[in-house]
């Protein structure tokens, strides 16, 4: 089968994506994420998939698992397409970042990360079905609700589903050169809290111990721990309700990333060592969710990457593979030793910003690559 003969239609893809992008689905809004899962479930059911809705937990939305028709479905390990439907964009982002196309660019919240990649994966399946082409292995899709916050509620689900499959394909945002991700760095999250002493900020300022001021100093200390082997950043902070009160509690979240597991372990130890009480303010550190290192040199990953490179040549480009940061659910499946390819989604810029957009031509490019992988992996 010549992949270039598959009749992917850019305009049809954009039309299909419109309801996906206009269904805003921030991670912490479980109802919104569930509405997005409804749309995806409907679209996959229309392709003939057997749909299973999996209830959410820990306050997050639910997941959708789809198994596509195949003589060996449920009998042999197959191919799992794993993606997330939550985004970092709060409800109302469409007001300032509406879904729209401008030439070869298309804009919208979550379009690049990663609804666009999820959608082209389904369009690849759609075109294979229309062409009457049967994949060597059965294909399943799992869409989850909480990747943007570290996958706290669905890691076990992803790992269990991956263990039932031979390969995992992750349509996270693609690289500008069309390359793929064959490894990812380790990531740890931390929940931070300072506990001080309240007082009236106008009448009794000196009686208080500001948790906000103490956290501000700790943030500088934490971010100054960043080095070439391990990075540290604070991205969330919550404190205070009244400006005339010295705040007694301040909460924050920090992220640490390293290329090697031992460097992350050292970073975790340094973070935990910051706990203690100074000048009447207690500083607490609790380790949150962690993504393990996915090493790029595992035999399974090399094998699946070689297949992808051969497909890329047929499509007219030389594919590169790299290990990178950012984290994805590919960390889990790759670390399990299951052959995994990541960054199979759309190309663009501005993910996680109000300028998030994709290159329109990457819709067909990514769909052809996905279709080729589904046809060649056996």
């Amino acid at each position: 089968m010549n992949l270039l003969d598959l009749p992917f239609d850019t305009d049809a893809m954009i039309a299909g994506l419109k309801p996906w992008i206009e269904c805003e689905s921030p991670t912490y809004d479980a109802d919104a994420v569930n509405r997005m899962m409804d749309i995806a479930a409907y679209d996959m059911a229309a392709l003939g998939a057997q749909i299973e809705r999996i209830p959410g937990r820990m306050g997050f939305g639910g997941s959708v698992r789809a198994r596509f028709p195949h003589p060996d479905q449920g009998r042999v390990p197959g191919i799992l397409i794993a993606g997330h439907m939550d985004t970092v964009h709060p409800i109302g982002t469409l007001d300032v970042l509406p879904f729209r196309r401008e030439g070869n660019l298309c804009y919208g919240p979550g379009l690049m990360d990663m609804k666009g990649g999820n959608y082209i994966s389904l369009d690849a399946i759609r075109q294979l079905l229309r062409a009457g082409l049967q994949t060597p292995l059965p294909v399943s899709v799992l869409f989850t609700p909480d990747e943007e916050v570290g996958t706290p509620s669905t890691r076990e689900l992803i790992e269990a589903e991956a263990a039932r499959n031979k390969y995992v394909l992750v349509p996270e945002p693609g690289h500008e050169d069309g390359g793929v991700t064959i490894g990812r760095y380790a990531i740890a999250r931390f929940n931070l809290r300072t506990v001080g002493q309240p007082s009236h900020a106008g009448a009794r300022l000196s009686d208080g111990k500001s948790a906000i001021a103490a956290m501000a100093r700790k943030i500088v200390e934490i971010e100054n721990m960043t080095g070439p082997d391990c990075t540290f950043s604070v991205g969330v902070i919550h404190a205070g309700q009244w400006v005339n009160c010295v705040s007694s509690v301040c909460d924050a979240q920090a992220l640490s990333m390293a290329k090697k597991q031992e460097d992350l372990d050292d970073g975790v130890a340094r973070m935990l060592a910051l706990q203690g009480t100074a000048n009447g303010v207690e500083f607490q550190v609790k380790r949150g969710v962690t993504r393990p290192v996915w090493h790029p040199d595992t035999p399974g990953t090399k094998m699946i990457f070689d297949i992808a490179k051969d497909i890329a040549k047929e499509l007219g480009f030389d594919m590169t593979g790299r290990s990178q940061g950012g984290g994805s659910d590919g960390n889990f499946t790759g670390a399990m030793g299951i052959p995994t390819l990541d960054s199979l989604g759309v190309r663009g810029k501005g993910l996680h910003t109000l300028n998030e957009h994709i290159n329109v031509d990457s819709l067909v490019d990514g769909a052809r690559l996905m279709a080729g992988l589904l046809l060649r992996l056996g």
Side-chain angles (χ1 to χ4, degrees):
M1 172 68 191
N2 187 339
L3 296 173
L4 297 176
D5 291 337
L6 289 172
F8 290 103
D9 186 315
T10 299
D11 291 338
M13 285 179 165
I14 292 175
L17 268 168
K18 188 175 189 290
W20 285 41
I21 305 308
E22 293 186 344
C23 181
E24 296 176 288
S25 52
T27 311
Y28 290 116
D29 189 330
D31 290 339
V33 174
N34 285 334
R35 288 192 292 270
M36 181 61 241
M37 294 296 181
D38 287 342
I39 295 173
Y42 180 92
D43 286 352
M44 291 189 290
L47 294 177
Q50 178 184 354
I51 304 298
E52 182 181 1
R53 294 299 296 269
I54 302 166
R57 63 191 189 109
M58 300 181 183
F60 295 101
S63 300
V64 174
R65 178 164 50 203
R67 305 197 192 282
F68 286 86
H70 191 282
D72 293 325
Q73 185 65 263
R75 297 173 53 206
V76 300
I79 301 169
L80 174 65
I81 299 173
H84 65 89
M85 284 297 188
D86 60 313
T87 79
V88 301
H89 300 284
I91 297 292
T93 301
L94 280 170
D95 295 338
V96 291
L97 181 61
F99 180 75
R100 68 194 189 279
R101 179 180 181 178
E102 297 177 359
N104 191 45
L105 301 182
C106 191
Y107 295 80
L111 178 56
M112 184 179 178
D113 187 12
M114 64 177 290
K115 293 181 182 180
N118 291 338
Y119 186 86
I120 65 173
S121 300
L122 300 190
D123 209 51
I125 296 171
R126 178 181 294 110
Q127 294 302 334
L128 294 178
L129 290 170
R130 287 178 177 175
L133 298 171
Q134 184 169 283
T135 58
L137 296 175
V139 176
S140 300
V141 173
L142 179 65
F143 289 143
T144 50
D146 59 346
E147 190 273 348
E148 294 293 3
V149 294
T151 321
S153 76
T154 57
R155 176 176 178 174
E156 294 92 343
L157 175 65
I158 292 166
E159 291 178 336
E161 189 64 24
R164 287 189 280 268
N165 284 273
K166 189 174 181 180
Y167 305 103
V168 176
L169 304 178
V170 185
E172 286 277 7
H175 301 300
E176 289 186 27
D177 63 357
V180 294
T181 297
I182 57 174
R184 285 195 183 269
Y185 306 161
I187 295 177
R189 296 174 182 241
F190 302 90
N191 298 312
L192 315 176
R193 169 170 284 193
T194 48
V195 181
Q197 177 65 43
S199 71
H200 191 294
R204 298 285 184 179
L205 179 62
S206 61
D207 291 349
K209 300 290 184 181
S210 173
I212 293 175
M215 182 65 78
R217 290 189 290 269
K218 282 297 182 182
I219 290 172
V220 174
E221 182 179 357
I222 289 168
E223 297 203 342
N224 283 341
M225 289 164 54
T226 291
D229 298 323
C230 192
T231 62
F232 299 86
S233 62
V234 177
V236 176
I237 185 168
H238 298 288
Q241 290 180 294
W242 300 276
V243 72
N244 60 345
C245 293
V246 174
S247 180
S248 59
V249 176
C250 180
D251 292 308
Q253 295 177 32
L255 186 78
S256 182
M257 184 175 68
K259 295 181 180 180
K260 299 178 181 179
Q261 190 66 51
E262 55 266 32
D263 291 331
L264 186 74
D265 293 341
D266 176 70
V268 169
R270 285 190 283 156
M271 280 289 294
L272 295 176
L274 296 178
Q275 299 181 93
T277 301
N279 300 318
V281 179
E282 181 185 6
F283 184 54
Q284 303 170 358
V285 181
K286 293 183 179 179
R287 184 173 178 175
V289 292
T290 301
R291 294 192 188 276
V293 168
W294 165 24
H295 294 285
D297 54 358
T298 58
T301 294
K302 183 180 185 306
M303 178 269 294
I304 195 174
F305 177 52
D306 286 341
I307 294 173
K309 286 195 295 184
D310 288 341
I311 297 170
K313 287 180 181 178
E314 295 179 26
L315 297 176
F317 70 98
D318 292 325
M319 175 178 285
T320 60
R322 70 197 73 170
S323 181
Q324 68 168 43
S328 87
D329 293 329
N331 280 78
F332 304 135
T333 64
M336 293 169 68
I338 299 171
T340 300
L341 273 187
D342 202 341
S343 300
L344 293 168
V346 290
R347 303 187 305 273
K349 293 181 179 178
L351 72 165
H352 291 197
T353 75
L354 294 179
N355 189 43
E356 183 166 344
H357 63 272
I358 65 167
N359 299 327
V360 170
D361 55 12
S362 71
L363 291 168
V364 171
D365 292 346
R368 289 197 194 284
L369 177 60
M370 179 63 72
L373 288 165
L374 297 177
L375 283 174
R376 304 291 170 81
L377 293 176

